[in-house]
Amino acid sequence: MSKLIVHKYGGTSMGSVERIRNVARRVAKWHRAGFQMVVVPSAMSGETNRLLGLAKACATGFGADGVALDAAHATPQAHPSARELDLIAATGEQVSSGLLAIALQAYGIDAVSFAGWQVPIRTDSAFTKARIESIDDAKVRTHLNAGRVVIITGFQGVDSDGDITTLGRGGSDTSAVAVAAALAAEECLIYTDVDGVYTTDPRVVPEAQRLARITFEEMLEMASLGSKVLQIRSVEFAGKYKVKTRVLSSLTDPAMDLAIEASSGTLITFEEDPDGAHTMEQAIISGIAFNRDEAKITLTRVPDQPGVAFRILGPIADANIDVDMIIQNASIDGHTDFSFTVHRNEYQRAIEVLNAKVLQDVGAAEVIGDAKIAKVSVVGIGMRSHVGIASLMFKTLAEERINIEMISTSEIKISAVIADRYMELAVRALHKAFGLDAPAGHVGTSN
Ligand code: ASP
Ligand code: MG
């Protein structure tokens, strides 16, 4: 039986009739080479935003241009119903799927498109952020076995009431990986407007290199730390169901040699996969991730007694605020400073909670906040078997005279909080220190 491959095309790749025709040419090439093909497209670029904008305009009584449609009855605080939002937003993928089928047919390829509910892709009922529960492969297989290219809408599914749901912004990546898992596909190729996953953001470090492969665990750390190539949930899915997933460019010539295309980009894989095995020369560290998404909060002179951490963080958890890093200093005369970080969007709220509910209760001196921080992390599974990673990281930062305010570690990651004005300097220095810079004058690929 011929091998089954899933392709996913992002909004930019599907952005115009011209580009959809290019996608069709590329898919036709793979189909003619003998692969069974399932294609999962996103909505045309900008379309999901446009649809959600319309919904918002109807909810608030303001036109999309911000002018009140009916000033007397405008209710600017209204929240559009999530069920209806999904019905609307899901149409973007339906249009691009149908268009791709037509473009393929125009190239003489038998193709059929399905919306999520037609497959069906079953989800829970959490509108705008639904999770896939199961995918029925029967209908898809029947069409594949009849020699057809099967196109399945990304981003959407159907719940047990028959209502259309969507998987959250960027959810087509997750649709594609889930479809690949359900069909036990050979590989899931995610075509996008970047040509792979890099050792760090090339806009910060021009010497950054494309990684030929990365494990899904590393990718999760890189993605959640701000290297936003794929929706994080798709990477979790790839890890859980062992779907080989490749990120590659859709901007190449659709007629390019298939074997070259098939090995381009970055393969997200598993340590135990022979294709994914790290070679001897493999750098111990795969990448440097960074973000400015967090803010630091400190309670000073907290009495050092059992239960204070709970009395501080309990009310924060009750307010549904996620805490990332936590640090408590050694106590001096029975008092200690207690610091933690939260997402910047929740910073003000966290400070309010502390002032209203915690400061007096624990008897601390004051609440101090600092939003001008950045988090820089070195990521690599090589850390499991090598010592000295943390010391090289701290030495490198020390040589640049960058003060470390907080530290956290996992098995494959070390993160440091620093002042945000040093973020780019830190990333460049670490990238170099860990041997990730491409050789001078060479835009390279790292294995
Ligand atoms: N069209 C959806 C979005 O813009 C899903 C996707 O593109 O992955 O979020
Ligand atoms: Mg995307």
mmCIF file of all heavy atoms in Angstrom, residues 115-135:
data_model
loop_
_atom_site.group_PDB
_atom_site.id
_atom_site.type_symbol
_atom_site.label_atom_id
_atom_site.label_comp_id
_atom_site.label_asym_id
_atom_site.label_seq_id
_atom_site.Cartn_x
_atom_site.Cartn_y
_atom_site.Cartn_z
ATOM 1 N N ALA A 115 -15.695 19.428 5.462
ATOM 2 C CA ALA A 115 -15.663 20.222 6.692
ATOM 3 C C ALA A 115 -15.454 19.259 7.862
ATOM 4 O O ALA A 115 -15.657 18.053 7.722
ATOM 5 C CB ALA A 115 -16.981 20.974 6.852
ATOM 6 N N GLY A 116 -15.061 19.797 9.020
ATOM 7 C CA GLY A 116 -14.802 18.952 10.193
ATOM 8 C C GLY A 116 -15.974 18.040 10.526
ATOM 9 O O GLY A 116 -15.774 16.856 10.824
ATOM 10 N N TRP A 117 -17.190 18.563 10.492
ATOM 11 C CA TRP A 117 -18.352 17.757 10.903
ATOM 12 C C TRP A 117 -18.634 16.626 9.929
ATOM 13 O O TRP A 117 -19.273 15.647 10.274
ATOM 14 C CB TRP A 117 -19.592 18.630 11.076
ATOM 15 C CG TRP A 117 -20.074 19.327 9.830
ATOM 16 C CD1 TRP A 117 -19.724 20.566 9.403
ATOM 17 C CD2 TRP A 117 -20.997 18.812 8.856
ATOM 18 N NE1 TRP A 117 -20.347 20.862 8.224
ATOM 19 C CE2 TRP A 117 -21.143 19.797 7.866
ATOM 20 C CE3 TRP A 117 -21.722 17.610 8.717
ATOM 21 C CZ2 TRP A 117 -21.968 19.646 6.744
ATOM 22 C CZ3 TRP A 117 -22.551 17.449 7.606
ATOM 23 C CH2 TRP A 117 -22.663 18.459 6.643
ATOM 24 N N GLN A 118 -18.130 16.748 8.694
ATOM 25 C CA GLN A 118 -18.402 15.703 7.717
ATOM 26 C C GLN A 118 -17.491 14.489 7.888
ATOM 27 O O GLN A 118 -17.808 13.410 7.427
ATOM 28 C CB GLN A 118 -18.240 16.259 6.297
ATOM 29 C CG GLN A 118 -19.337 17.249 5.914
ATOM 30 C CD GLN A 118 -19.077 17.864 4.558
ATOM 31 O OE1 GLN A 118 -18.093 18.549 4.355
ATOM 32 N NE2 GLN A 118 -19.971 17.604 3.621
ATOM 33 N N VAL A 119 -16.326 14.690 8.581
ATOM 34 C CA VAL A 119 -15.368 13.573 8.683
ATOM 35 C C VAL A 119 -15.900 12.448 9.571
ATOM 36 O O VAL A 119 -15.911 11.292 9.124
ATOM 37 C CB VAL A 119 -13.995 14.116 9.138
ATOM 38 C CG1 VAL A 119 -13.020 12.964 9.425
ATOM 39 C CG2 VAL A 119 -13.413 15.031 8.038
ATOM 40 N N PRO A 120 -16.364 12.632 10.796
ATOM 41 C CA PRO A 120 -16.293 13.860 11.571
ATOM 42 C C PRO A 120 -15.052 13.897 12.468
ATOM 43 O O PRO A 120 -14.534 12.869 12.869
ATOM 44 C CB PRO A 120 -17.551 13.771 12.446
ATOM 45 C CG PRO A 120 -17.802 12.317 12.629
ATOM 46 C CD PRO A 120 -17.214 11.605 11.436
ATOM 47 N N ILE A 121 -14.638 15.156 12.763
ATOM 48 C CA ILE A 121 -13.621 15.403 13.785
ATOM 49 C C ILE A 121 -14.392 15.810 15.029
ATOM 50 O O ILE A 121 -14.994 16.882 15.063
ATOM 51 C CB ILE A 121 -12.659 16.520 13.341
ATOM 52 C CG1 ILE A 121 -11.854 16.079 12.099
ATOM 53 C CG2 ILE A 121 -11.712 16.911 14.496
ATOM 54 C CD1 ILE A 121 -10.937 17.136 11.527
ATOM 55 N N ARG A 122 -14.438 14.921 16.012
ATOM 56 C CA ARG A 122 -15.238 15.202 17.214
ATOM 57 C C ARG A 122 -14.413 15.940 18.260
ATOM 58 O O ARG A 122 -13.262 15.587 18.512
ATOM 59 C CB ARG A 122 -15.773 13.906 17.810
ATOM 60 C CG ARG A 122 -16.733 13.188 16.896
ATOM 61 C CD ARG A 122 -17.618 12.202 17.640
ATOM 62 N NE ARG A 122 -18.475 11.507 16.685
ATOM 63 C CZ ARG A 122 -19.586 12.057 16.146
ATOM 64 N NH1 ARG A 122 -19.959 13.279 16.511
ATOM 65 N NH2 ARG A 122 -20.299 11.383 15.267
ATOM 66 N N THR A 123 -15.036 16.949 18.850
ATOM 67 C CA THR A 123 -14.352 17.736 19.885
ATOM 68 C C THR A 123 -15.253 17.840 21.108
ATOM 69 O O THR A 123 -16.422 17.466 21.064
ATOM 70 C CB THR A 123 -14.055 19.178 19.410
ATOM 71 O OG1 THR A 123 -15.299 19.900 19.338
ATOM 72 C CG2 THR A 123 -13.371 19.195 18.045
ATOM 73 N N ASP A 124 -14.695 18.413 22.181
ATOM 74 C CA ASP A 124 -15.555 18.777 23.305
ATOM 75 C C ASP A 124 -16.312 20.054 22.922
ATOM 76 O O ASP A 124 -16.215 20.521 21.787
ATOM 77 C CB ASP A 124 -14.726 18.923 24.602
ATOM 78 C CG ASP A 124 -13.678 20.026 24.505
ATOM 79 O OD1 ASP A 124 -13.799 20.925 23.632
ATOM 80 O OD2 ASP A 124 -12.736 20.001 25.321
ATOM 81 N N SER A 125 -17.057 20.618 23.876
ATOM 82 C CA SER A 125 -17.915 21.766 23.542
ATOM 83 C C SER A 125 -17.331 23.096 24.001
ATOM 84 O O SER A 125 -18.069 24.063 24.171
ATOM 85 C CB SER A 125 -19.296 21.572 24.176
ATOM 86 O OG SER A 125 -19.860 20.371 23.704
ATOM 87 N N ALA A 126 -16.017 23.144 24.210
ATOM 88 C CA ALA A 126 -15.389 24.401 24.645
ATOM 89 C C ALA A 126 -15.200 25.306 23.426
ATOM 90 O O ALA A 126 -14.131 25.338 22.823
ATOM 91 C CB ALA A 126 -14.064 24.103 25.338
ATOM 92 N N PHE A 127 -16.258 26.011 23.060
ATOM 93 C CA PHE A 127 -16.228 26.866 21.873
ATOM 94 C C PHE A 127 -15.040 27.824 21.927
ATOM 95 O O PHE A 127 -14.685 28.323 22.999
ATOM 96 C CB PHE A 127 -17.535 27.660 21.745
ATOM 97 C CG PHE A 127 -18.739 26.775 21.535
ATOM 98 C CD1 PHE A 127 -19.690 26.631 22.524
ATOM 99 C CD2 PHE A 127 -18.883 26.076 20.353
ATOM 100 C CE1 PHE A 127 -20.793 25.801 22.330
ATOM 101 C CE2 PHE A 127 -19.983 25.241 20.145
ATOM 102 C CZ PHE A 127 -20.938 25.099 21.148
ATOM 103 N N THR A 128 -14.455 28.064 20.778
ATOM 104 C CA THR A 128 -13.266 28.915 20.557
ATOM 105 C C THR A 128 -11.964 28.313 21.099
ATOM 106 O O THR A 128 -10.894 28.852 20.850
ATOM 107 C CB THR A 128 -13.396 30.359 21.104
ATOM 108 O OG1 THR A 128 -13.224 30.356 22.531
ATOM 109 C CG2 THR A 128 -14.704 31.021 20.729
ATOM 110 N N LYS A 129 -12.051 27.214 21.846
ATOM 111 C CA LYS A 129 -10.826 26.545 22.291
ATOM 112 C C LYS A 129 -11.066 25.056 22.517
ATOM 113 O O LYS A 129 -10.576 24.464 23.474
ATOM 114 C CB LYS A 129 -10.268 27.216 23.558
ATOM 115 C CG LYS A 129 -11.294 27.424 24.660
ATOM 116 C CD LYS A 129 -10.615 27.987 25.888
ATOM 117 C CE LYS A 129 -11.540 28.048 27.078
ATOM 118 N NZ LYS A 129 -12.629 29.033 26.970
ATOM 119 N N ALA A 130 -11.809 24.473 21.592
ATOM 120 C CA ALA A 130 -12.201 23.068 21.752
ATOM 121 C C ALA A 130 -11.007 22.139 21.598
ATOM 122 O O ALA A 130 -10.014 22.480 20.962
ATOM 123 C CB ALA A 130 -13.270 22.726 20.705
ATOM 124 N N ARG A 131 -11.131 20.958 22.210
ATOM 125 C CA ARG A 131 -10.094 19.932 22.085
ATOM 126 C C ARG A 131 -10.642 18.754 21.297
ATOM 127 O O ARG A 131 -11.793 18.342 21.499
ATOM 128 C CB ARG A 131 -9.684 19.436 23.482
ATOM 129 C CG ARG A 131 -8.827 20.435 24.193
ATOM 130 C CD ARG A 131 -8.383 19.919 25.549
ATOM 131 N NE ARG A 131 -7.391 20.834 26.087
ATOM 132 C CZ ARG A 131 -6.078 20.692 25.940
ATOM 133 N NH1 ARG A 131 -5.591 19.665 25.295
ATOM 134 N NH2 ARG A 131 -5.259 21.578 26.446
ATOM 135 N N ILE A 132 -9.792 18.223 20.432
ATOM 136 C CA ILE A 132 -10.195 17.080 19.612
ATOM 137 C C ILE A 132 -10.311 15.839 20.496
ATOM 138 O O ILE A 132 -9.425 15.562 21.304
ATOM 139 C CB ILE A 132 -9.176 16.833 18.487
ATOM 140 C CG1 ILE A 132 -9.170 18.017 17.533
ATOM 141 C CG2 ILE A 132 -9.476 15.527 17.749
ATOM 142 C CD1 ILE A 132 -8.142 17.933 16.424
ATOM 143 N N GLU A 133 -11.430 15.113 20.356
ATOM 144 C CA GLU A 133 -11.607 13.879 21.121
ATOM 145 C C GLU A 133 -11.391 12.649 20.263
ATOM 146 O O GLU A 133 -10.812 11.668 20.705
ATOM 147 C CB GLU A 133 -12.998 13.859 21.765
ATOM 148 C CG GLU A 133 -13.075 14.846 22.935
ATOM 149 C CD GLU A 133 -14.444 14.975 23.543
ATOM 150 O OE1 GLU A 133 -15.447 14.575 22.907
ATOM 151 O OE2 GLU A 133 -14.517 15.498 24.679
ATOM 152 N N SER A 134 -11.890 12.695 19.031
ATOM 153 C CA SER A 134 -11.675 11.537 18.155
ATOM 154 C C SER A 134 -11.864 11.960 16.703
ATOM 155 O O SER A 134 -12.511 12.967 16.413
ATOM 156 C CB SER A 134 -12.667 10.423 18.492
ATOM 157 O OG SER A 134 -13.986 10.850 18.176
ATOM 158 N N ILE A 135 -11.272 11.192 15.815
ATOM 159 C CA ILE A 135 -11.420 11.451 14.380
ATOM 160 C C ILE A 135 -11.785 10.121 13.728
ATOM 161 O O ILE A 135 -11.105 9.120 13.925
ATOM 162 C CB ILE A 135 -10.104 11.992 13.771
ATOM 163 C CG1 ILE A 135 -9.746 13.337 14.418
ATOM 164 C CG2 ILE A 135 -10.238 12.134 12.257
ATOM 165 C CD1 ILE A 135 -8.466 13.964 13.889
#
